[in-house]
Amino acid sequence: MTKTLVIAEKPSVAQDIVRALTPVAGKFDKHEDHFENDRYVVTSAVGHLVEIQAPEQFDVKRGKWSFAHLPVIPPFFDLKPVDKTKSRLNAVVKQAKRKDVTELINACDAGREGELIFRLIEQYAGGAKPLGKPVKRLWLQSMTPQAIRDGFGALRSEQQMAGLAHAARSRSEADWLVGINGTRAMTAFNSRDGGFFLTTVGRVQTPTLSLVVEREEKIRKFISRDYWEIHATFGAQAGEYPAKWFDPKWKKGEDVEARADRVWSAAEAQAIANAVRGKQATVTEESKPTTQASPLLFDLTSLQREANGKFGFSAKTTLALAQSLYERHKALTYPRTDSRALPEDYLPVAKQTFEMLADSGMRHLAPHALTALNNNYVRPSKRIFDNSKVSDHFAIIPTLQAPSGLSEAEQKLYDLVVRRFMAVFFPSAEYTVTTRISTVAPHSFKTEGKVLVKPGWLAIYGKEAADEVEGGKDGDKGQNLVPVKPGEMVNTLQVDPKGLKTKPPARYSEATLLGAMESAGKQIDDDELREAMQEKGLGTPATRAAIIEGLLTEKYMLREGREMIPTAKAFQLMTLLRGLEVEELCRADLTGEWEYKLSQMEKGQLSREAFMAEIAAMTERMVKKAKEYDRDTIPGDYATLESPCPNCGGVVKENYRRFACVGKPGAEPCGFSFGKSPAGRTFETAEANALLRDKKIGPLEGFRSKAGWPFTSEIVIKYDDEAHNYKLEFDFGDDKKGEESGEIVEFEDAALGACPICGSEVHEHGSNYVCSKAVPTTAQPTPSCTFKSGKIILQQPVEREQMTKLLETGKTDLLDKFVSMRTRRNFKAHLAWDKDAGKVNFEFAPSKFPPRPGAAAKTVASKASKAGAAAKKAPAKKAAAKTTAAKAPRKAAAGKAPSAALAAVIGNEPVARPEAVKKMWEYIKTHNLQDPKDKRTIVADDKLRAVFGKDSAGMFELAGILGNHLGGE
């Protein structure tokens, strides 16, 4: 019997599908990586299992950070498994290749990324030839069992999904082309003067950053101006009311800060106040009813903006919560949507949702749901139900499933969505707005009153929202007005000019940045108009959170409170791109056009070939501009430092690459300068000022070695006798110089605990914690102990209390900010005293998911039996070839056993030489064994002396030395 393979995006979705299908398709048996019954095999990916890469013949390995091999525009892309999920990929491919599996169903998330995840797995499973099995698409926008069963009853065809598949591949390839070529080209440009300055750019990431930088530039250039408002209090027979002067003839002009109620001199403001003080005023007023409709239903971006504004949730947090409410709790519909409307046939479901809410027992929500049902609020409306505004997904609304066991954050987000869903069906809020003009000729004063007549949808948000008057300001809007009789003259009781200052534009918060990405930087406040602009936005609702997080990770931006602040590195990148005239990466609206073209491709209105040709042309142009730029510096808006030159006292100015002395007025520059981005970390202007003032700064994080490894260091400015000038140096706080010179150390801090080697006191010393017998002291001039451990290990600061804990109990708490020098990923570990190795080592927390007993042995046995069976069937030559081919990689992976001397440093496990070099470097870095004067020289401690056979070795000697210690490798 033939079967259909269903591939979901995540294991939890696969389980939901099995639960939904069991009543209609029969019971499933659970296997290690899949579920199976007579009709279906259900398995899942865990996100992306395969990624694109340049084919071997076009892949640049050596010299990829130079212009020599750029641009890289391969005619096609190969696939490579994502390393950490390789076993899952193999399990999915195994099911796809089964002979009894004759059809596939793509059940990955409904959207561009879900389409790509499946398509790449299918392509990889086919290998050189296409898999050749028909594919159907399961399109789920709700995760309830009934919605899943309905989805299986309305599977989409391959032809229906072709546009989305093309757009998914094109997005992936375009990001690869722009990201790889742009990053390599800008890194090559910035590393021309030596060093390695990684400069990442991206098709969507960089234009998003440009929005933040441009806003910050406006803030920095903003010059505040003084202005005055004239506030008055008038007395009528019924009481007093406030008012504010305005010019009824004022019209908007070129001055963006001008307003009808502002005057620009204190004298003019005082003159107006003096002219009306104590006088009587005539009154005219106009009252009219106004309505305020509820906001539209949520799409992902508007939900992220609202949650950021109300609760301070980051876009990433909101997406994770919404995904959990959709996937785990089945309480919300699909969250990664850009639509704010529902399908026109969804009215019955909306009514059922209100019925569920009315009966749910959620006391804060149920009464409003009941009100809507009793008053027949749930009825057709083009504002809510509109097929033309629903693309792949509809708006985020609650499902028919009442949730339970929500976390506090999940509950907040769920309530936000439910209230918005209910509000959109409720009547508009009704106000009476009264505009009163009090005139003391020739001066006019305005008062506005806004009274809520019927709360309508505001009732759902309670008293707080009902009392809140849109646009209300101190003294001129929002108040209940005392009545004035027709023809009554009122008295000017008080009038005061109020001095104020114009304010710069606000920095982006995550909420406002998401809005700017949505409209490609165009300032659009109107909900409906912003919706029309969405197709030209930066990224998609599903990717915007990741783009913002990526900019934060790369230190292009910092998150301070709710503000997004660009760093010096961001300004330097924008200066470079503008100087090179690479507009496409600087202007959000141009990149918004690319996104629009992808959405056209999804609809079958644009060919993949045409789009990719444009991306290739953009890539070539970007690389050409960087490669051919021949001027010394890039034009830009550069700073002048406040601190003087340490050498001659002259003025220090910034240029593209350096901070350089330009001399005292009328004098020549003295030649002092220092690079803006030593080891790939760019100085903020304030840091450069502090460095000149104090001659040192730090320790600072974020530096990278030439090999790309991250490190932390202090920076100092020292006088160089040979150059007769000051120069910048890294200071790792290495205490070897003092130790080797025999200079006596006096400890001033309290002891942290007993040394695990000799029992003596352990103290702070420079950048390390050391045993008092490991350095020369008055009591013991010749060191006799070797205990030393860094205060910062792999970028993780080790606080005094943690070292005390290690000395008392043998290990620290679980620390979570280590950064692997090999993978550059963060990891968590305890620091623990390793008695056998005689040093502080990492101890990792046990996995939450231990392997099942016997699972490994079972797998090995199974593989061995299969290999044996295959060898019997195959001709002898082929079997031998297969065996040789299979053995070769295993041999390389197994490596060689290290010598006893090397094992004392890197452990006993067999390793290949490259892995041994990496482990050796981790040891060197952890123990601060690089010579401070020449980082390419490693100063041997006792263990390394046994490996090197001498007191020091050059970094380029390491591979050769280690080869002699690896079983003759």
Side-chain angles (χ1 to χ4, degrees):
M1 181 185 269
T2 61
K3 297 189 179 187
T4 298
L5 173 66
V6 181
I7 301 177
E9 192 165 318
K10 299 173 215 56
S12 60
V13 178
Q15 288 173 341
D16 290 338
I17 289 170
V18 166
R19 276 195 287 268
L21 290 181
T22 297
V24 292
K27 187 176 179 297
F28 283 80
D29 293 325
K30 189 178 188 303
H31 298 266
E32 191 172 348
D33 295 304
H34 69 281
F35 301 87
E36 187 169 352
N37 71 5
D38 292 342
R39 282 175 59 189
Y40 295 105
V41 178
V42 181
T43 187
S44 78
V46 279
H48 280 278
L49 301 184
V50 186
E51 56 194 5
I52 62 171
Q53 67 172 0
E56 189 66 35
Q57 62 268 40
F58 297 98
D59 192 21
V60 179
K61 289 189 172 70
R62 296 185 68 82
K64 67 180 180 183
W65 299 111
S66 75
F67 284 116
H69 305 292
L70 295 178
V72 182
I73 303 178
F76 62 93
F77 284 90
D78 273 350
L79 302 178
K80 68 169 179 177
V82 175
D83 285 341
K84 62 181 182 180
T85 54
K86 212 168 181 178
S87 60
R88 171 64 73 167
L89 174 63
N90 292 338
V92 175
V93 168
K94 180 182 171 186
Q95 300 306 318
K97 285 184 168 179
R98 279 171 50 167
K99 286 187 178 172
D100 61 339
V101 167
T102 56
E103 182 185 49
L104 306 183
I105 292 179
N106 174 4
C108 293
D109 286 358
R112 203 191 281 167
E113 283 311 294
E115 196 66 25
L116 184 64
I117 287 167
F118 175 85
R119 298 279 173 165
L120 295 184
I121 292 170
E122 183 202 14
Q123 183 185 336
Y124 183 84
K129 296 177 184 176
L131 198 57
K133 297 182 182 183
V135 173
K136 295 277 178 64
R137 182 61 152 112
L138 176 67
W139 198 259
L140 295 179
Q141 294 175 313
S142 173
M143 289 302 295
T144 61
Q146 189 55 51
I148 293 170
R149 287 192 285 270
D150 291 345
F152 271 89
L155 294 170
R156 299 186 180 186
S157 69
E158 183 87 345
Q159 292 72 30
Q160 284 174 284
M161 305 313 300
L164 186 66
H166 289 326
R169 282 187 187 273
S170 299
R171 195 279 307 155
S172 177
E173 291 173 12
D175 285 353
W176 191 96
L177 288 170
V178 176
I180 292 289
N181 286 286
T183 296
R184 289 181 184 179
M186 299 311 149
T187 300
F189 187 93
N190 278 335
S191 306
R192 271 177 169 170
D193 293 349
F196 178 73
F197 182 8
L198 180 65
T199 311
T200 57
V201 299
R203 185 183 62 88
V204 179
Q205 168 192 305
T206 308
T208 301
L209 181 63
S210 78
L211 294 174
V212 182
V213 170
E214 284 165 17
R215 176 66 59 88
E216 193 70 21
E217 285 171 339
K218 284 179 184 173
I219 293 168
R220 290 184 182 184
K221 289 174 184 172
F222 185 83
I223 298 168
S224 186
R225 296 159 64 189
D226 294 329
Y227 70 93
W228 284 260
E229 292 177 351
I230 303 99
H231 291 257
T233 303
F234 291 99
Q237 289 175 26
E240 298 176 3
Y241 64 90
K244 187 162 66 170
W245 176 89
F246 78 107
D247 178 3
K249 296 173 187 168
W250 180 83
K251 286 183 180 173
K252 201 168 186 178
E254 290 182 10
D255 186 349
V256 293
E257 289 170 343
R259 305 280 187 279
D261 58 6
R262 290 180 179 179
V263 295
W264 297 99
S265 77
E268 186 184 351
Q270 196 61 56
I272 293 169
N274 293 340
V276 301
R277 191 176 285 113
K279 302 274 179 70
Q280 285 197 317
T282 58
V283 177
T284 59
E285 69 180 25
E286 181 187 355
S287 293
K288 59 180 182 182
T290 62
T291 59
Q292 182 189 341
S294 77
L296 297 170
L297 293 168
F298 283 125
D299 65 354
L300 179 59
T301 304
S302 57
L303 180 62
Q304 286 170 321
R305 294 179 68 193
E306 187 87 356
N308 182 253
K310 267 198 164 66
F311 312 128
F313 292 167
S314 70
K316 180 183 177 184
T317 298
T318 299
L319 176 56
L321 291 170
Q323 196 72 25
S324 172
L325 286 163
Y326 159 70
E327 214 173 88
R328 185 163 155 243
H329 298 287
K330 317 292 182 290
L332 293 185
T333 56
Y334 186 74
R336 295 167 184 256
T337 175
D338 61 358
S339 175
R340 304 188 69 176
L342 298 175
E344 288 165 18
D345 62 359
Y346 222 70
L347 183 64
V349 180
K351 275 187 178 163
Q352 288 174 293
T353 308
F354 269 92
E355 286 162 4
M356 177 277 291
L357 292 168
D359 293 338
S360 66
M362 291 184 270
R363 290 179 186 175
H364 59 303
L365 301 173
H368 303 300
L370 206 55
T371 301
L373 291 168
N374 291 341
N375 291 284
N376 194 30
Y377 288 163
V378 188
R379 49 181 182 261
S381 161
K382 207 67 174 161
R383 193 166 179 266
I384 307 168
F385 303 100
D386 188 346
N387 287 347
S388 67
K389 291 181 180 174
V390 175
S391 52
D392 302 335
H393 320 285
F394 50 75
I396 305 170
I397 63 169
T399 64
L400 297 173
Q401 197 155 311
S404 60
L406 300 184
S407 68
E408 186 185 350
E410 286 170 338
Q411 188 69 55
K412 280 182 175 178
L413 201 73
Y414 181 72
D415 284 359
L416 207 59
V417 174
V418 172
R419 287 182 200 274
R420 177 66 67 93
F421 169 71
M422 291 195 294
V424 84
F425 288 95
F426 268 59
S428 296
E430 294 179 18
Y431 296 94
T432 297
V433 175
T434 301
T435 303
R436 179 179 292 173
I437 309 294
S438 308
T439 306
V440 184
H443 299 293
S444 301
F445 291 76
K446 185 189 283 186
T447 310
E448 287 193 3
K450 191 172 184 182
V451 178
L452 183 63
V453 179
K454 287 184 181 175
W457 64 272
L458 284 173
I460 292 169
Y461 291 87
K463 187 173 185 299
E464 182 189 337
D467 288 348
E468 194 179 283
V469 175
E470 222 178 64
K473 292 179 187 170
D474 293 338
D476 70 330
K477 283 188 185 179
Q479 57 275 332
N480 287 309
L481 292 180
V482 297
V484 175
K485 292 176 183 175
E488 181 185 348
M489 299 289 285
V490 297
N491 296 314
T492 312
L493 301 178
Q494 191 178 343
V495 58
D496 297 302
K498 189 176 179 181
L500 298 161
K501 288 181 179 292
T502 57
K503 292 178 180 176
R507 284 194 177 100
Y508 281 112
S509 66
E510 210 156 335
T512 55
L513 181 55
L514 285 164
M517 292 173 76
E518 191 175 39
S519 56
K522 292 181 172 59
Q523 296 304 308
I524 298 170
D525 296 321
D526 182 77
D527 257 359
E528 320 265 344
L529 188 55
R530 191 187 295 114
E531 194 180 2
M533 271 297 299
Q534 276 185 173
E535 285 191 334
K536 294 193 177 188
L538 289 175
T540 65
T543 60
R544 285 176 191 138
I547 291 159
I548 291 172
E549 290 298 325
L551 290 168
L552 291 164
T553 302
E554 286 294 333
K555 299 290 188 287
Y556 279 124
M557 298 191 310
L558 303 172
R559 190 189 271 126
E560 287 191 9
R562 293 194 184 182
E563 290 185 329
M564 297 296 192
I565 301 174
T567 61
K569 183 180 176 183
F571 279 93
Q572 192 170 12
L573 176 60
M574 286 306 136
T575 299
L576 173 59
L577 296 176
R578 289 167 188 166
L580 297 177
E581 297 174 346
V582 186
E583 277 190 318
E584 295 90 333
L585 282 177
C586 293
R587 281 181 48 194
D589 56 341
L590 285 179
T591 304
E593 290 291 334
W594 297 114
E595 204 64 51
Y596 175 61
K597 285 172 180 173
L598 285 170
S599 71
Q600 282 186 307
M601 199 186 301
E602 286 182 18
K603 296 166 189 167
Q605 296 165 358
L606 179 73
S607 76
R608 171 163 149 72
E609 292 71 27
F611 177 81
M612 291 312 300
E614 284 187 65
I615 290 286
M618 169 192 171
T619 303
E620 286 173 341
R621 180 179 171 278
M622 177 174 59
V623 172
K624 189 168 184 274
K625 286 276 189 182
K627 196 184 283 192
E628 294 178 357
Y629 192 88
D630 56 359
R631 279 168 279 174
D632 289 340
T633 189
I634 300 279
D637 185 11
Y638 295 117
T640 300
L641 298 188
E642 294 167 9
S643 302
C645 168
N647 195 47
C648 72
V651 176
V652 177
K653 287 192 171 182
E654 176 190 14
N655 59 40
Y656 179 68
R657 295 187 190 279
R658 307 185 75 75
F659 290 101
C661 174
V662 295
K664 289 181 177 177
E668 288 294 308
C670 69
F672 169 75
S673 74
F674 62 94
K676 278 166 64 175
S677 303
R681 184 198 185 279
T682 306
F683 283 119
E684 300 290 337
T685 307
E687 290 175 338
N689 268 317
L691 179 60
L692 290 189
R693 184 186 66 237
D694 304 331
K695 305 289 190 296
K696 71 172 186 176
I697 190 170
L700 303 175
E701 293 185 347
F703 298 107
R704 285 184 186 270
S705 69
K706 285 183 180 179
W709 291 340
F711 67 91
T712 301
S713 177
E714 284 191 354
I715 298 278
V716 296
I717 289 181
K718 289 185 176 175
Y719 191 77
D720 185 330
D721 292 324
E722 288 181 22
H724 303 295
N725 210 327
Y726 283 82
K727 70 174 187 178
L728 181 147
E729 288 183 4
F730 289 105
D731 183 355
F732 295 94
D734 203 333
D735 313 304
K736 272 198 166 296
K737 204 187 293 178
E739 291 162 27
E740 287 170 0
S741 68
E743 190 176 320
I744 298 297
V745 174
E746 290 184 13
F747 298 113
E748 295 176 1
D749 66 312
L752 289 101
C755 170
I757 296 177
C758 70
S760 302
E761 292 181 344
V762 172
H763 290 268
E764 280 188 60
H765 177 50
S767 62
N768 292 298
Y769 298 109
V770 299
C771 173
S772 57
K773 291 188 177 178
V775 293
T777 60
T778 308
Q780 185 182 326
T782 304
S784 61
C785 185
T786 58
F787 179 79
K788 178 166 76 171
S789 184
K791 286 185 190 174
I792 298 176
I793 297 175
L794 296 183
Q795 301 194 49
Q796 166 72 60
V798 182
E799 306 296 345
R800 279 182 64 92
E801 56 266 29
Q802 291 298 335
M803 181 49 64
T804 300
K805 192 162 193 174
L806 184 146
L807 297 173
E808 284 177 1
T809 67
K811 68 178 178 182
T812 65
D813 294 334
L814 189 67
L815 306 177
D816 62 359
K817 291 186 175 63
F818 294 107
V819 179
S820 165
M821 286 194 287
R822 187 169 63 84
T823 66
R824 302 179 193 168
R825 292 197 183 104
N826 279 56
F827 68 90
K828 299 177 184 180
H830 301 275
L831 290 176
W833 174 248
D834 185 338
K835 190 177 178 183
D836 295 336
K839 64 177 181 178
V840 172
N841 252 332
F842 296 116
E843 182 180 299
F844 296 97
S847 169
K848 291 179 187 175
F849 309 106
R852 294 195 314 281
K858 193 174 172 183
T859 308
V860 171
S862 162
K863 283 182 181 171
S865 64
K866 282 179 187 171
K872 280 179 191 174
K873 283 182 191 174
K877 277 186 182 177
K878 282 187 181 176
K882 271 187 183 177
T883 310
T884 309
K887 279 182 182 172
R890 278 203 288 273
K891 184 180 175 184
K896 299 281 187 180
S899 67
L902 182 57
V905 178
I906 68 168
N908 295 314
E909 290 182 15
V911 284
R913 185 162 20 183
E915 186 63 26
V917 172
K918 284 177 186 172
K919 287 188 174 185
M920 176 64 80
W921 268 109
E922 287 185 11
Y923 180 87
I924 291 163
K925 292 278 183 182
T926 304
H927 292 80
N928 296 320
L929 297 177
Q930 284 173 283
D931 188 326
K933 289 186 177 177
D934 178 8
K935 299 298 173 194
R936 289 174 294 187
T937 300
I938 293 93
V939 180
D941 60 5
D942 291 342
K943 289 182 181 178
L944 289 190
R945 209 170 279 116
V947 177
F948 294 171
K950 52 186 178 179
D951 290 336
S952 65
M955 63 191 296
F956 301 114
E957 295 179 72
L958 280 185
I961 292 172
L962 297 191
N964 298 329
H965 286 268
L966 289 170
E969 185 188 301

